[in-house]
């Protein structure tokens, strides 16, 4: 008798737990956005109109250079040579954003990038295949891949939790509401994974998901719930020489010959000018390091492009998060140029070389370099600190 009461109450508790998790999962459908009620700094409708109703002439042209995947002793050479020591026309150090994936990443070097003023953002712990896994990923999956990755950055890279603001999904594969819901619950501000091919000219500015997005959805499912306060930084596609859109510079198909420096310089500038001479939506140079490392002519063209924009009085190469901050509180270009530079970061790294470390998902053992003390196992999904 008592035993069955006990069982019954257990069942009741289980049913309640299920109810509350269902409630958590239910999100209101996003409704049409009204710019009269959705206002900066918290809210912005998806739109090609310039924040703050500035004229293009008075709008800073932001350039977002981003690199994806693991940071290691090979690609850091390129980052040092191409990015370090560069300044914008107002003498502030340039920015760039690194969407770092965990596997094979050297955290001493991530710490170096962070302390050199660049933004460290999330690109998942596993970067697993197949791509379709990311398409169906749940909120819990996304917590294990991204929210937990932020713990790794803090523990192994000595990067303050608050400095990590953004993410990019592997393969740019969206998963409906789940990534944004995870972002909201974990305090991650923006996503930069969502390409647009319909809002290229004029380009779509960053916006929030309080209300329904009008952005096209090339790699769906896209979110349709209202998820207030989460920001989308659209990846405005380039156009290749046949006008085919490409979301990353290294995914363009009809490009100039890979050894044609002048052709590539003109190709990059042509894409840039669509923004600069248009509504000045942030211009993305989204690329993987191997592409410019394997193609010396493209690398030289890229450097020429950076030298050019670093000498224009209304162009600023910045961290992606700086763009979101400007959109929240837009100021005219003259005022922007006079603002104080971003405060330099200052976190020390006493490196340890760790290994061999074993991981649950493979027979291979790993070596990794971290700031501070070594983990006991190779950090992985579900055990981000390698306990
Ligand atoms: C996102 O949430 C909305 C509102 O709850 C829902 O209608 C939609 O089906 C969800 N999208 C996906 C892909 O689950
Ligand atoms: C993901 O979901 C879609 C339907 O939304 C389904 O067709 C597909 O098979 C699923 N993929 C995986 C890997 O489960
Ligand atoms: Zn990647």
């Amino acid at each position: 008798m008592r035993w069955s009461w006990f069982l019954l109450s257990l069942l009741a508790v289980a049913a309640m737990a299920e109810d509350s998790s269902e409630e958590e999962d239910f999100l209101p459908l996003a409704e049409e956005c009204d710019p009269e009620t959705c206002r900066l700094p918290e809210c912005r409708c998806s739109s090609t109109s310039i924040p703050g109703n500035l004229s293009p002439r008075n709008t800073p042209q932001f350039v977002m250079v981003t690199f994806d995947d693991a940071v290691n002793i090979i690609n850091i050479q390129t980052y040092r040579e191409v990015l370090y020591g560069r300044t914008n026309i107002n003498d502030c150090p340039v920015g760039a954003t690194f969407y770092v994936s965990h596997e094979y990443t050297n955290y001493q070097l991530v710490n170096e990038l962070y302390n050199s003023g660049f933004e460290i953002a999330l690109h998942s712990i596993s970067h697993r295949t197949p791509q379709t896994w990311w398409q169906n990923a749940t909120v819990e999956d996304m917590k294990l891949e991204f929210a937990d990755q932020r713990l790794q950055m803090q523990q192994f890279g000595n990067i303050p939790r608050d400095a990590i603001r953004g993410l990019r999904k592997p393969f740019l594969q969206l998963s409906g509401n789940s990534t944004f819901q995870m972002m909201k619950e974990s305090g991650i501000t923006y996503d930069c994974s969502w390409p647009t091919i319909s809002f290229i000219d004029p380009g779509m500015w960053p916006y929030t998901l309080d209300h329904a997005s009008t952005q096209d959805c090339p790699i769906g499912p896209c979110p349709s719930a209202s998820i207030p306060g989460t920001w989308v930084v659209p990846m405005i596609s380039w156009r290749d020489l046949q006008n085919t859109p490409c979301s990353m510079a290294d995914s363009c198909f009809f490009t100039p010959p890979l050894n044609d420096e002048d052709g590539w310089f003109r190709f990059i500038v042509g894409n840039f000018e669509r923004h600069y001479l248009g509504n000045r939506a942030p211009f993305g140079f989204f690329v993987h390091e191997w592409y410019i490392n394997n193609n010396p002519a493209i690398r030289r063209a890229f450097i020429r492009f950076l030298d050019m924009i670093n000498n224009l009085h209304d162009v600023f190469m910045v961290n992606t998060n700086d763009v979101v901050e400007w959109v929240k509180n837009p100021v005219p270009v003259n005022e922007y140029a006079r603002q104080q530079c971003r405060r330099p970061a200052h976190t020390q790294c006493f490196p340890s070389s760790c290994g061999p470390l074993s991981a649950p998902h493979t027979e291979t053992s790993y070596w990794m370099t971290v700031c501070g003390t070594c983990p006991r196992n190779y950090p992985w999904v579900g055990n981000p600190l390698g306990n």
Side-chain angles (χ1 to χ4, degrees), residues 124 126 168 224 236 290 292 337 360:
S124 85
S126 75
R168 174 172 288 161
S224 57
I236 299 174
W290 58 263
I292 53 176

Side-chain angles (χ1 to χ4, degrees), residues 153-214:
M153 292 297 182
Q154 203 174 0
Q155 170 78 14
F156 302 127
N158 206 5
I159 297 167
R161 178 190 153 86
D162 290 351
I164 295 176
R165 301 290 185 78
L167 67 80
R168 174 172 288 161
K169 301 283 297 286
F171 317 107
L172 312 183
Q173 177 61 64
L174 300 198
S175 53
N177 308 315
S178 67
T179 306
F180 294 94
Q181 194 179 346
M182 176 278 296
M183 286 165 55
K184 184 167 176 55
E185 289 169 14
S186 311
I188 296 170
T189 310
Y190 76 85
D191 170 89
C192 187
S193 322
W194 187 345
T196 175
I197 58 181
S198 302
F199 297 95
I200 294 183
D201 188 14
M204 183 166 273
W205 280 82
Y207 62 92
T208 65
L209 285 184
D210 296 57
H211 303 281
S213 169
T214 55

Side-chain angles (χ1 to χ4, degrees), residues 18-64:
E18 200 169 84
D19 265 9
S20 72
S21 76
E22 262 168 30
E23 249 165 64
E24 256 173 39
D25 285 339
F26 176 78
L27 297 169
L29 196 63
E31 290 171 15
E32 197 181 327
C33 195
D34 176 0
E36 289 303 313
T37 54
C38 172
R39 289 173 164 274
L40 295 172
E42 288 90 18
C43 189
R44 185 179 141 87
C45 300
S46 58
S47 145
T48 59
S49 67
I50 301 176
N53 287 322
L54 294 171
S55 65
R57 243 172 33 88
N58 282 322
T59 305
Q61 174 65 62
F62 293 111
V63 174
M64 305 180 289

